[in-house]
Short mmCIF file of all heavy atoms in Angstrom, two decimals:
data_model
loop_
_atom_site.label_atom_id
_atom_site.label_comp_id
_atom_site.label_asym_id
_atom_site.label_seq_id
_atom_site.Cartn_x
_atom_site.Cartn_y
_atom_site.Cartn_z
N PHE A 63 109.00 99.21 116.40
CA PHE A 63 108.07 99.04 115.28
C PHE A 63 108.87 98.80 114.01
O PHE A 63 110.08 99.07 113.95
CB PHE A 63 107.15 100.26 115.12
CG PHE A 63 107.87 101.55 114.81
CD1 PHE A 63 108.02 101.98 113.49
CD2 PHE A 63 108.39 102.35 115.83
CE1 PHE A 63 108.67 103.17 113.19
CE2 PHE A 63 109.05 103.53 115.52
CZ PHE A 63 109.19 103.95 114.21
N LYS A 64 108.20 98.28 113.00
CA LYS A 64 108.83 97.99 111.72
C LYS A 64 108.04 98.70 110.62
O LYS A 64 106.82 98.61 110.59
CB LYS A 64 108.87 96.49 111.45
CG LYS A 64 109.59 96.11 110.18
CD LYS A 64 109.56 94.60 109.97
CE LYS A 64 110.30 94.22 108.69
NZ LYS A 64 110.19 92.77 108.40
N THR A 65 108.73 99.35 109.74
CA THR A 65 108.07 100.01 108.62
C THR A 65 107.73 98.98 107.54
O THR A 65 108.32 97.91 107.48
CB THR A 65 108.98 101.09 108.01
OG1 THR A 65 110.22 100.50 107.61
CG2 THR A 65 109.24 102.21 109.01
N ILE A 66 106.75 99.33 106.71
CA ILE A 66 106.35 98.44 105.62
C ILE A 66 107.07 98.85 104.34
O ILE A 66 107.71 99.90 104.28
CB ILE A 66 104.82 98.45 105.42
CG1 ILE A 66 104.32 99.87 105.11
CG2 ILE A 66 104.11 97.88 106.63
CD1 ILE A 66 102.83 99.96 104.83
N PHE A 67 106.97 98.00 103.31
CA PHE A 67 107.59 98.31 102.03
C PHE A 67 106.90 99.51 101.38
O PHE A 67 105.73 99.78 101.61
CB PHE A 67 107.50 97.11 101.09
CG PHE A 67 108.43 95.99 101.45
CD1 PHE A 67 107.96 94.86 102.09
CD2 PHE A 67 109.79 96.06 101.14
CE1 PHE A 67 108.82 93.82 102.42
CE2 PHE A 67 110.65 95.03 101.47
CZ PHE A 67 110.17 93.90 102.11
N PHE A 68 107.61 100.20 100.52
CA PHE A 68 107.01 101.29 99.75
C PHE A 68 106.04 100.73 98.71
O PHE A 68 104.91 101.16 98.60
CB PHE A 68 108.09 102.13 99.05
CG PHE A 68 108.98 102.89 99.99
CD1 PHE A 68 110.35 102.96 99.75
CD2 PHE A 68 108.48 103.53 101.11
CE1 PHE A 68 111.18 103.67 100.61
CE2 PHE A 68 109.30 104.23 101.98
CZ PHE A 68 110.66 104.29 101.72
N ASN A 69 106.51 99.74 97.94
CA ASN A 69 105.71 99.17 96.85
C ASN A 69 105.41 97.71 97.15
O ASN A 69 106.33 96.88 97.15
CB ASN A 69 106.47 99.26 95.52
CG ASN A 69 106.82 100.68 95.15
OD1 ASN A 69 106.00 101.58 95.29
ND2 ASN A 69 108.04 100.91 94.70
N ASP A 70 104.15 97.41 97.41
CA ASP A 70 103.79 96.04 97.77
C ASP A 70 102.29 95.83 97.55
O ASP A 70 101.47 96.23 98.37
CB ASP A 70 104.16 95.78 99.24
CG ASP A 70 103.90 94.36 99.66
OD1 ASP A 70 103.71 93.49 98.79
OD2 ASP A 70 103.91 94.08 100.88
N VAL A 71 101.95 95.19 96.43
CA VAL A 71 100.55 94.86 96.16
C VAL A 71 100.41 93.34 96.08
O VAL A 71 101.39 92.62 95.88
CB VAL A 71 100.02 95.49 94.85
CG1 VAL A 71 100.01 97.00 94.94
CG2 VAL A 71 100.82 95.01 93.65
N GLY A 72 99.20 92.86 96.24
CA GLY A 72 98.96 91.43 96.15
C GLY A 72 97.47 91.14 96.15
O GLY A 72 96.64 92.04 96.11
N VAL A 73 97.15 89.85 96.22
CA VAL A 73 95.76 89.41 96.29
C VAL A 73 95.49 88.94 97.71
O VAL A 73 96.20 88.10 98.24
CB VAL A 73 95.48 88.29 95.27
CG1 VAL A 73 94.04 87.81 95.40
CG2 VAL A 73 95.75 88.77 93.86
N ALA A 74 94.45 89.51 98.33
CA ALA A 74 94.13 89.20 99.72
C ALA A 74 93.01 88.17 99.86
O ALA A 74 92.78 87.67 100.95
CB ALA A 74 93.74 90.47 100.47
N GLY A 75 92.30 87.86 98.77
CA GLY A 75 91.21 86.90 98.88
C GLY A 75 90.51 86.67 97.56
O GLY A 75 90.70 87.40 96.59
N VAL A 76 89.71 85.61 97.54
CA VAL A 76 88.82 85.31 96.42
C VAL A 76 87.41 85.61 96.88
O VAL A 76 86.92 85.01 97.85
CB VAL A 76 88.95 83.85 95.95
CG1 VAL A 76 87.89 83.51 94.91
CG2 VAL A 76 90.35 83.59 95.39
N ALA A 77 86.74 86.55 96.22
CA ALA A 77 85.38 86.95 96.63
C ALA A 77 84.32 86.08 95.97
O ALA A 77 83.24 85.88 96.53
CB ALA A 77 85.14 88.42 96.28
N TYR A 78 84.62 85.57 94.77
CA TYR A 78 83.67 84.71 94.05
C TYR A 78 84.44 83.83 93.09
O TYR A 78 85.39 84.30 92.47
CB TYR A 78 82.66 85.56 93.26
CG TYR A 78 81.60 84.72 92.57
CD1 TYR A 78 80.42 84.39 93.24
CD2 TYR A 78 81.79 84.24 91.29
CE1 TYR A 78 79.46 83.59 92.63
CE2 TYR A 78 80.84 83.45 90.67
CZ TYR A 78 79.67 83.13 91.35
OH TYR A 78 78.73 82.33 90.75
N PRO A 79 84.11 82.57 92.96
CA PRO A 79 83.06 81.83 93.69
C PRO A 79 83.58 81.35 95.05
O PRO A 79 84.77 81.34 95.30
CB PRO A 79 82.78 80.64 92.76
CG PRO A 79 84.09 80.38 92.08
CD PRO A 79 84.74 81.73 91.91
N THR A 80 82.63 80.94 95.90
CA THR A 80 82.96 80.37 97.19
C THR A 80 82.18 79.07 97.36
O THR A 80 81.37 78.71 96.51
CB THR A 80 82.60 81.32 98.35
OG1 THR A 80 81.18 81.44 98.44
CG2 THR A 80 83.22 82.69 98.14
N ASP A 81 82.42 78.40 98.48
CA ASP A 81 81.70 77.15 98.76
C ASP A 81 80.20 77.37 98.90
O ASP A 81 79.43 76.42 98.84
CB ASP A 81 82.24 76.50 100.05
CG ASP A 81 83.55 75.77 99.79
OD1 ASP A 81 83.76 75.31 98.66
OD2 ASP A 81 84.37 75.70 100.72
N GLU A 82 79.79 78.61 99.12
CA GLU A 82 78.36 78.91 99.27
C GLU A 82 77.64 78.97 97.93
O GLU A 82 76.42 78.99 97.88
CB GLU A 82 78.19 80.22 100.02
CG GLU A 82 78.74 80.19 101.44
CD GLU A 82 78.64 81.54 102.12
OE1 GLU A 82 78.13 82.48 101.49
OE2 GLU A 82 79.08 81.64 103.28
N ASN A 83 78.41 79.04 96.84
CA ASN A 83 77.80 79.13 95.51
C ASN A 83 77.53 77.72 94.97
O ASN A 83 78.43 76.92 94.80
CB ASN A 83 78.72 79.88 94.55
CG ASN A 83 79.10 81.25 95.06
OD1 ASN A 83 80.27 81.54 95.25
ND2 ASN A 83 78.11 82.09 95.31
N CYS A 84 76.26 77.43 94.73
CA CYS A 84 75.87 76.12 94.20
C CYS A 84 75.60 76.23 92.70
O CYS A 84 75.35 77.31 92.18
CB CYS A 84 74.61 75.61 94.90
SG CYS A 84 74.83 75.38 96.68
N ASN A 85 75.64 75.10 92.03
CA ASN A 85 75.29 75.02 90.61
C ASN A 85 76.08 76.01 89.77
O ASN A 85 75.51 76.81 89.01
CB ASN A 85 73.78 75.24 90.42
CG ASN A 85 72.95 74.23 91.19
OD1 ASN A 85 73.30 73.04 91.21
ND2 ASN A 85 71.88 74.68 91.81
N LEU A 86 77.40 75.99 89.93
CA LEU A 86 78.22 76.87 89.11
C LEU A 86 78.16 76.43 87.66
O LEU A 86 78.05 75.25 87.35
CB LEU A 86 79.67 76.84 89.62
CG LEU A 86 79.86 77.42 91.03
CD1 LEU A 86 81.30 77.25 91.48
CD2 LEU A 86 79.47 78.89 91.07
N THR A 87 78.26 77.39 86.77
CA THR A 87 78.04 77.13 85.34
C THR A 87 79.35 77.02 84.57
O THR A 87 80.44 77.08 85.15
CB THR A 87 77.19 78.26 84.74
OG1 THR A 87 77.99 79.46 84.71
CG2 THR A 87 75.93 78.50 85.55
N SER A 88 79.23 76.91 83.28
CA SER A 88 80.40 76.81 82.41
C SER A 88 81.00 78.18 82.09
O SER A 88 82.00 78.26 81.39
CB SER A 88 80.01 76.11 81.10
OG SER A 88 79.01 76.86 80.43
N SER A 89 80.40 79.24 82.61
CA SER A 89 80.90 80.59 82.32
C SER A 89 80.78 81.46 83.56
O SER A 89 79.93 82.35 83.64
CB SER A 89 80.11 81.20 81.15
OG SER A 89 80.63 82.47 80.81
N GLU A 90 81.64 81.21 84.54
CA GLU A 90 81.63 81.96 85.80
C GLU A 90 82.81 82.94 85.83
O GLU A 90 83.93 82.59 85.46
CB GLU A 90 81.74 81.02 87.00
CG GLU A 90 80.58 80.06 87.15
CD GLU A 90 79.31 80.73 87.67
OE1 GLU A 90 79.38 81.88 88.16
OE2 GLU A 90 78.26 80.09 87.58
N ASN A 91 82.53 84.16 86.28
CA ASN A 91 83.59 85.15 86.43
C ASN A 91 84.15 85.09 87.84
O ASN A 91 83.40 85.07 88.82
CB ASN A 91 83.07 86.55 86.13
CG ASN A 91 82.72 86.72 84.68
OD1 ASN A 91 81.60 86.44 84.27
ND2 ASN A 91 83.69 87.15 83.89
N ILE A 92 85.46 85.07 87.95
CA ILE A 92 86.14 85.03 89.24
C ILE A 92 86.37 86.46 89.71
O ILE A 92 86.84 87.31 88.95
CB ILE A 92 87.47 84.27 89.12
CG1 ILE A 92 87.19 82.80 88.79
CG2 ILE A 92 88.29 84.40 90.39
CD1 ILE A 92 88.43 81.98 88.54
N ALA A 93 86.03 86.73 90.97
CA ALA A 93 86.27 88.05 91.57
C ALA A 93 87.28 87.89 92.71
O ALA A 93 87.17 86.97 93.52
CB ALA A 93 84.97 88.64 92.11
N ILE A 94 88.26 88.77 92.74
CA ILE A 94 89.31 88.70 93.75
C ILE A 94 89.41 90.03 94.49
O ILE A 94 88.84 91.04 94.06
CB ILE A 94 90.68 88.36 93.12
CG1 ILE A 94 91.10 89.46 92.12
CG2 ILE A 94 90.63 86.99 92.45
CD1 ILE A 94 92.52 89.31 91.61
N GLN A 95 90.15 90.03 95.59
CA GLN A 95 90.38 91.24 96.37
C GLN A 95 91.83 91.66 96.21
O GLN A 95 92.74 90.98 96.70
CB GLN A 95 90.04 91.00 97.84
CG GLN A 95 88.58 90.75 98.07
CD GLN A 95 88.29 90.36 99.51
OE1 GLN A 95 89.04 89.61 100.11
NE2 GLN A 95 87.20 90.86 100.05
N LEU A 96 92.05 92.76 95.50
CA LEU A 96 93.38 93.33 95.38
C LEU A 96 93.69 94.13 96.63
O LEU A 96 92.81 94.82 97.17
CB LEU A 96 93.48 94.24 94.15
CG LEU A 96 93.32 93.59 92.78
CD1 LEU A 96 93.35 94.65 91.69
CD2 LEU A 96 94.38 92.54 92.54
N ALA A 97 94.93 94.05 97.11
CA ALA A 97 95.30 94.76 98.33
C ALA A 97 96.61 95.52 98.12
O ALA A 97 97.53 95.03 97.46
CB ALA A 97 95.45 93.79 99.49
N ASN A 98 96.67 96.72 98.68
CA ASN A 98 97.92 97.47 98.71
C ASN A 98 98.48 97.34 100.12
O ASN A 98 97.99 97.96 101.06
CB ASN A 98 97.68 98.95 98.36
CG ASN A 98 98.99 99.72 98.27
OD1 ASN A 98 100.06 99.23 98.63
ND2 ASN A 98 98.91 100.96 97.81
N PHE A 99 99.50 96.50 100.26
CA PHE A 99 100.13 96.27 101.56
C PHE A 99 101.23 97.29 101.83
O PHE A 99 101.78 97.33 102.94
CB PHE A 99 100.75 94.87 101.60
CG PHE A 99 99.76 93.75 101.37
CD1 PHE A 99 99.79 93.01 100.20
CD2 PHE A 99 98.79 93.46 102.32
CE1 PHE A 99 98.89 91.98 99.99
CE2 PHE A 99 97.89 92.42 102.11
CZ PHE A 99 97.94 91.69 100.94
N GLY A 100 101.58 98.11 100.83
CA GLY A 100 102.70 99.03 100.96
C GLY A 100 102.29 100.45 101.31
O GLY A 100 101.12 100.75 101.55
N GLN A 101 103.30 101.33 101.31
CA GLN A 101 103.08 102.73 101.69
C GLN A 101 102.59 103.59 100.52
O GLN A 101 101.81 104.51 100.72
CB GLN A 101 104.38 103.34 102.21
CG GLN A 101 104.94 102.67 103.46
CD GLN A 101 106.22 103.34 103.93
OE1 GLN A 101 106.30 104.56 103.97
NE2 GLN A 101 107.21 102.55 104.29
#
Side-chain angles (χ1 to χ4, degrees):
F63 63 95
K64 183 181 181 185
T65 57
I66 59 177
F67 286 103
F68 294 139
N69 301 316
D70 184 15
V71 296
V73 178
V76 172
Y78 184 88
T80 68
D81 282 331
E82 297 176 1
N83 305 120
C84 298
N85 302 319
L86 294 176
T87 69
S88 60
S89 183
E90 297 285 347
N91 292 88
I92 295 175
I94 62 172
Q95 294 173 320
L96 295 177
N98 185 350
F99 302 110
Q101 298 181 44

